[in-house]
Amino acid sequence: MIEVLRKIVQAVNDADDLAQALELIVHEVRAAMQTEVCTVYLRDRGSQRLVFRATEGLNKDKVGAFSLGIDEGLVGWVASRGEMLNLDDAMAHPSFQLVPGLGEESFNTFMGAPIIHQRDLLGVLVVQQSDTRRFSDAEEAFLITISAQLAAIIAHAEVTGAALAIDAPSQDVSRIQGVAGSPGVGIGQAVFVSPTADLGAVPSRQAVNRRQEIRAFRSALARVRDDIAVVAENLREELSAEDHALFGVYLSILDDSALGGEVAALIKSGEWAQGALSQVMIKHIRHFERMEHSYLRERAVDVRDLGTRVLTYLQDDAETRSDWPEHTILVAEEITASALGEIPRERLVGVVSLRGSANSHAAIVARGMGVPAVMGAADLPYNRLGDRMLVVDGYSGRIYVNPSQQVLERFQALMEQDLALTEELAGLRGELCQTLDGKRIPLWVNTGIIEDLAGAIEQGAEGVGLYRTEVGFLLRDRFPSEEEQRQLYREQLETFAPAPVTMRTLDIGGDKSLPYFPIQEDNPFLGWRGIRVTLDHPEIFLAQVRAMLKANEGLGNLRILLPMISAVEEADESLALIRRCHEEVLAEGYEQPLPPVGVMIEVPSAVWLTGALANRVDFLSVGSNDLTQYLLAVDRNNARVAELYHGLHPAVLGALQQIVDAAHLEGCSVSICGEMAGDPRAVPLLLAMGFDQLSMSAINLPRVKKVINSLTMADANELLAELIGVHSSHAVIRLAENLIERKGLDRYVRLNRDNR
Ligand code: PEP
Ligand code: MG
């Protein structure tokens, strides 16, 4: 069964559009189940009716021309209940309804399965036959399995097909939903950056100069031929004549009379070389993969290998892109810090990542840079986007492909409003951050790259609550030396002096893997991460801390922060290493007291150890991004569970209050540096809980200050009191938003943007 399923899913995946995919589904499912009829009904979003969309066995003339109400007939029964129906005598069922002209009269056995994607009913898959026998349990299981698998493909085909329908760029059809990653709106041209030498990730693009593209292709081909000839020669002695002859076959795949000719023809018709190569190779790879014979099926691997080799040479030869459009929207399967760094900042107006979620590190970097971002946009037909125009709405997480004039005007107006708000908020820069009744609360910023600092200072930040040192490590191709680190840290400390700069020791693992120190794990967020890595590699930890201490010479504004502490031993060991470094640098002639050392509370075990940890260190900082993911068991990087990730979950709020109380009992100051600190809805609650500082992305600082400066502590305390006995995140969010609205602050917070 798995083999049949694989084949069907593969075939459907290869379809050019939804209509072709549905044709394939009914054809293949009917053949696999050996039934007389297979039909797909899809729910129409506008009319909410179930439209007869594809059939094998019934009257094809009715395709697209006939529909049922959502609870009409047996199909409606399946759709409205979201349940399977298996009948040996369909006509005897009370919901049975004969539709004249469909040709169903002689089929008395009926089985229908709902097609559901992420709780959303897409349609119904039906099989019918004329002999009066009930479909077996195994057939029932097959239909359920196939409809569950096809649901995702149909949903994807519906969205991508609509998004690419240039002739119908209405607001609804061209919209793709992802997860809001970084606030703001960006309008510009999509530029897809693909991982190197991945045939499946090459975008289709017009050739700028066809002759040049043909030449590049021929030269890459010649180099691959030479490589293979060398390998063949080296193996001449070791292989039998028969096996050796395979190299000849292998080479002939690239001949002009075979795939090479096809690629060249596609380039001549206007496609660029990489796109032509990828399209031709993928078509043939899929063809081989679908073959019955296992030997032939395995040849798909050879074809892929050949294609990848040619692509590698093509990509090596391609100049690094220097012609970024004036308004570039960077699209990538997974956005990396180095990809963000490649584009001139003034040209980058938006970011779209197919993977990841709101609190992925890529989103946090985009927020740090003040670039609107949408994450987890898995349905975006990225390799067919060309250089199309996109609108990235970083507030609601939506992307508009080929936006209509009307959509464009709406978003241009929003951008103007944003600009006006930014200018208005800039007036707050010189003001202290304090509530209307005088409670001061220092606002700090999170940084990662030096460029963040200018913006942070401009926004009036009073310190750096979290400097993510790993970003400096991610942008290199090897570990930075102690001296290189010292210079980097010195720049950070100097730029902000005398204000404090909290430097976190290297926090890699999870979704932050260094290209030169890869960590492969099944469960990386529960694996070798943060302090666990650096305690296992004291040489890395010691070099980093020494670099920090040396950088602090004569400035004295360094604070050291330890990530991912889950046990007191980790804190004790780290402190011992830090003291050792301190002694070493003193012995080298540096003069300075031991800087304050703190730990992050971001793992549930640390919540219950807050008192013990507070006793050992000088300050605590809550990492609410990780704390939320670990308390709720929701991967912060997975868009599929983004709906379940709530910093304002009552369990998270309970933990935060517990941390603040335990820290203060030990006389230890406690700040929060997760993204929650920059969420204006959460801020009154954090104030009421008693956090001593809030540290956030610079982009959020002005509006957080606006909120704090417009409230009294009584307002904040009242909101916190209202939450007693509230057990749902949605209820908490409603109450928090009510306060923002009552105070007339919603225009700074953009609460209702989801309704656009
Ligand atoms: C956190 O987990 O909240 C945090 C600030 O650290 P990071 O986002 O870098 O994991
Ligand atoms: Mg963290």
Side-chain angles (χ1 to χ4, degrees):
M1 168 160 148
I2 288 187
E3 192 46 30
V4 178
L5 272 173
R6 190 191 65 79
K7 213 177 125 199
I8 298 179
V9 169
Q10 174 106 44
V12 174
N13 253 329
D14 295 349
D16 290 335
D17 55 31
L18 182 59
Q20 197 189 23
L22 297 178
E23 282 293 319
L24 273 162
I25 290 172
V26 290
H27 179 78
E28 299 286 343
V29 172
R30 186 173 86 144
M33 294 188 71
Q34 296 178 351
T35 65
E36 287 159 88
V37 178
C38 181
T39 306
V40 174
Y41 291 81
L42 286 191
R43 183 163 69 101
D44 179 76
R45 307 254 161 208
S47 66
Q48 289 298 317
R49 290 180 69 80
L50 296 161
V51 182
F52 184 72
R53 289 292 300 270
T55 188
E56 195 86 351
L58 298 184
N59 183 359
K60 282 186 189 272
D61 292 346
K62 290 275 184 189
V63 167
F66 151 74
S67 66
L68 288 165
I70 201 79
D71 53 3
E72 253 187 285
L74 297 177
V75 174
W77 191 100
V78 173
S80 56
R81 286 174 173 72
E83 250 181 68
M84 174 111 201
L85 186 61
N86 183 1
L87 301 170
D88 53 1
D89 185 3
M91 289 174 201
H93 192 280
S95 295
F96 178 79
Q97 187 181 316
L98 188 70
V99 181
L102 264 197
E104 279 187 306
E105 292 80 356
S106 55
F107 303 114
N108 204 28
T109 305
F110 172 100
M111 180 159 68
I115 305 171
I116 298 175
H117 178 64
Q118 292 179 343
R119 303 186 185 200
D120 187 24
L121 178 97
L122 304 181
V124 178
L125 178 63
V126 177
V127 285
Q128 291 167 283
Q129 57 189 40
S130 49
D131 55 345
T132 310
R133 71 155 181 98
R134 201 171 183 276
F135 283 102
S136 69
D137 283 356
E139 286 167 316
E140 219 178 285
F142 181 84
L143 200 70
I144 289 189
T145 314
I146 194 92
S147 89
Q149 288 221 18
L150 292 174
I153 301 173
I154 292 176
H156 184 71
E158 266 189 350
V159 178
T160 55
L164 288 171
I166 310 174
D167 299 337
S170 87
Q171 174 188 338
D172 288 332
V173 296
S174 61
R175 197 169 78 182
I176 286 178
Q177 185 69 55
V179 178
S182 171
V185 170
I187 302 178
Q189 226 172 309
V191 175
F192 178 70
V193 286
S194 50
T196 44
D198 180 352
L199 283 171
V202 178
S204 171
R205 191 187 291 163
Q206 283 292 311
V208 179
N209 180 331
R210 295 180 201 190
R211 276 210 201 152
Q212 218 169 329
E213 294 291 307
I214 287 273
R215 268 202 300 276
F217 172 61
R218 298 247 182 259
S219 137
L221 214 56
R223 285 153 81 181
V224 172
R225 282 178 185 289
D226 291 348
D227 290 350
I228 293 174
V230 171
V231 176
E233 194 47 45
N234 291 346
L235 293 176
R236 184 172 294 282
E237 304 290 298
E238 285 150 60
L239 295 178
S240 66
E242 196 183 327
D243 284 345
H244 197 264
L246 271 180
F247 281 102
V249 177
Y250 203 51
L251 279 172
S252 66
I253 297 177
L254 296 173
D255 276 355
D256 258 357
S257 56
L259 305 200
E262 257 183 75
V263 177
L266 202 53
I267 299 174
K268 282 179 195 152
S269 76
E271 181 70 27
W272 71 319
Q274 293 185 34
L277 174 77
S278 136
Q279 287 163 34
V280 170
M281 292 317 243
I282 284 179
K283 187 176 86 186
H284 287 278
I285 290 165
R286 290 193 172 146
H287 180 67
F288 276 107
E289 280 173 346
R290 256 184 262 140
M291 289 185 173
E292 293 293 345
H293 198 290
S294 65
Y295 174 80
L296 290 174
R297 227 172 33 231
E298 278 154 23
R299 300 290 60 78
V301 177
D302 298 338
V303 179
R304 185 181 291 281
D305 177 57
L306 269 178
T308 308
R309 282 167 188 269
V310 182
L311 184 62
T312 307
Y313 279 123
L314 277 175
Q315 291 183 335
D316 278 356
D317 288 349
E319 285 169 50
T320 45
R321 189 166 182 147
S322 55
D323 57 337
W324 299 99
E326 204 180 327
H327 300 283
T328 299
I329 307 247
L330 181 69
V331 181
E333 216 166 332
E334 191 131 44
I335 296 283
T336 58
S338 52
L340 284 171
E342 216 173 283
I343 308 173
R345 176 65 190 90
E346 67 283 1
R347 294 193 172 221
L348 182 65
V349 299
V351 166
V352 177
S353 180
L354 273 64
R355 298 218 205 116
S357 196
N359 284 310
S360 300
H361 283 91
I364 293 174
V365 173
R367 281 201 282 273
M369 294 171 75
V371 182
V374 170
M375 308 294 294
D379 282 329
L380 192 72
Y382 59 95
N383 52 4
R384 289 192 282 150
L385 276 180
D387 290 335
R388 284 182 202 199
M389 162 91 86
L390 298 186
V391 171
V392 171
D393 180 351
Y395 294 107
S396 67
R398 292 190 193 120
I399 303 156
Y400 298 77
V401 184
N402 292 323
S404 64
Q405 195 53 32
Q406 204 189 357
V407 170
L408 268 180
E409 281 167 15
R410 194 153 50 89
F411 280 99
Q412 267 151 357
L414 278 172
M415 285 170 75
E416 278 161 29
Q417 278 176 28
D418 277 356
L419 216 60
L421 272 181
T422 308
E423 274 167 26
E424 188 192 327
L425 289 172
L428 285 176
R429 259 174 222 161
E431 284 185 28
L432 275 182
C433 179
Q434 60 183 9
T435 58
L436 290 171
D437 46 354
K439 165 84 180 152
R440 276 272 294 125
I441 176 104
L443 298 188
W444 291 11
V445 280
N446 298 344
T447 63
I449 41 179
I450 192 75
E451 290 75 22
D452 292 343
L453 283 187
I457 291 169
E458 210 174 280
Q459 308 288 13
E462 297 176 54
V464 174
L466 171 66
Y467 167 49
R468 291 182 166 96
T469 56
E470 57 277 3
V471 181
F473 284 64
L474 284 163
L475 297 174
R476 286 165 201 264
D477 54 11
R478 56 169 173 80
F479 280 108
S481 68
E482 184 178 315
E483 175 54 19
E484 282 169 330
Q485 291 186 62
R486 189 197 65 78
Q487 287 173 17
L488 206 64
Y489 304 154
R490 180 79 187 176
E491 222 176 335
Q492 286 275 335
L493 292 166
E494 264 178 351
T495 313
F496 233 80
V501 175
T502 312
M503 296 200 168
R504 181 172 69 184
T505 61
L506 190 63
D507 183 19
I508 51 170
D511 65 343
K512 288 175 291 189
S513 169
L514 301 176
Y516 48 89
F517 190 66
I519 301 174
Q520 297 287 348
E521 291 178 316
D522 286 346
N523 217 339
F525 278 110
L526 297 184
W528 206 42
R529 237 201 112 177
I531 203 73
R532 300 170 184 180
V533 178
T534 46
L535 285 180
D536 285 350
H537 276 281
E539 76 285 9
I540 298 174
F541 187 81
L542 291 168
Q544 184 173 40
V545 173
R546 264 199 307 266
M548 288 178 181
L549 296 175
K550 289 181 181 173
N552 191 33
E553 186 68 1
L555 295 172
N557 56 338
L558 167 70
R559 304 182 348 142
I560 298 178
L561 181 60
L562 305 168
M564 279 291 290
I565 296 286
S566 61
V568 289
E569 290 83 354
E570 289 168 338
D572 291 340
E573 270 183 68
S574 310
L575 284 165
L577 288 174
I578 293 171
R579 285 194 198 104
R580 191 174 122 193
C581 286
H582 185 237
E583 280 162 21
E584 283 169 10
V585 297
L586 290 187
E588 284 180 45
Y590 291 87
E591 278 178 30
Q592 56 176 288
L594 188 68
V597 179
V599 298
M600 291 196 73
I601 307 287
E602 53 181 346
V603 175
S605 61
V607 176
W608 281 274
L609 292 174
T610 302
L613 291 167
N615 257 322
R616 289 168 159 78
V617 295
D618 305 296
F619 65 94
L620 299 176
S621 185
V622 176
S624 55
N625 304 335
D626 279 313
L627 188 59
T628 304
Q629 87 161 338
Y630 293 128
L631 278 176
L632 304 184
V634 176
D635 180 350
R636 65 191 266 186
N637 212 23
N638 183 346
R640 199 179 284 171
V641 289
E643 289 286 315
L644 299 174
Y645 185 100
H646 287 292
L648 288 171
H649 190 292
V652 177
L653 298 178
L656 294 181
Q657 183 68 77
Q658 198 175 320
I659 295 166
V660 176
D661 292 347
H664 286 171
L665 207 61
E666 299 299 332
C668 186
S669 90
V670 57
S671 62
I672 175 164
C673 62
E675 292 301 302
M676 211 177 152
D679 177 353
R681 301 167 310 171
V683 163
L685 294 169
L686 302 175
L687 278 187
M689 285 176 188
F691 277 100
D692 299 299
Q693 297 102 21
L694 308 180
S695 189
M696 63 204 73
S697 299
I699 196 169
N700 290 325
L701 198 140
R703 55 197 196 133
V704 167
K705 192 190 268 188
K706 179 75 192 171
V707 169
I708 293 176
N709 289 11
S710 311
L711 294 177
T712 62
M713 277 311 286
D715 295 323
N717 290 333
E718 250 169 56
L719 178 63
L720 189 63
E722 274 185 75
L723 299 189
I724 296 171
V726 174
H727 302 300
S728 118
S729 312
H730 295 288
V732 173
I733 292 169
R734 247 190 330 272
L735 289 168
E737 290 187 348
N738 283 349
L739 174 63
I740 297 287
E741 270 163 16
R742 275 205 314 278
K743 296 288 169 184
L745 295 166
D746 34 339
R747 70 197 194 92
Y748 302 101
V749 180
R750 301 239 182 259
L751 297 179
N752 299 320
R753 287 215 156 170
D754 268 8
N755 304 331
R756 283 195 302 255

